[in-house]
Amino acid sequence: MTTPETVEFLTGGLRPHECRSCGTCVLVKKNSINHTSIQWITNAAESCPVFADAEGPTALLDTCPKLSDSIDDAVREGTLAVADG
């Protein structure tokens, strides 16, 4: 059974972010400058060119480096906040 607290912990603070490289939209939360939570809302292997071109299972990929760069840019520009300030 999923409690409201668990749902809030897993989804609280997630905001839509569109990758500047390919346009794929994900949900993202910057928990700290070094920790980013990403929830894919599409099939990454179909919507992200980096995942689509991956050899082998995409589950072995940490994330898309272009998406990471896009998120980092949004933090620097102030359009995506870091939770711990």
Side-chain angles (χ1 to χ4, degrees):
M1 179 173 160
T2 305
T3 66
E5 293 81 13
T6 301
V7 171
E8 176 60 25
F9 176 76
L10 294 173
T11 62
L14 290 170
R15 301 289 178 256
H17 177 77
E18 191 172 289
C19 178
R20 294 181 180 173
S21 177
C22 71
T24 296
C25 188
V26 298
L27 299 176
V28 63
K29 178 182 179 185
K30 286 294 292 180
N31 298 300
S32 72
I33 203 67
N34 294 318
H35 183 260
T36 306
S37 295
I38 298 172
Q39 178 66 49
W40 290 82
I41 53 178
T42 60
N43 181 332
E46 293 175 2
S47 61
C48 172
V50 172
F51 276 70
D53 290 342
E55 294 182 19
T58 58
L60 300 177
L61 296 177
D62 183 33
T63 193
C64 171
K66 293 179 181 182
L67 176 61
S68 292
D69 290 345
S70 179
I71 292 168
D72 290 344
D73 288 345
V75 170
R76 276 190 295 278
E77 294 166 1
T79 58
L80 182 63
V82 178
D84 72 0

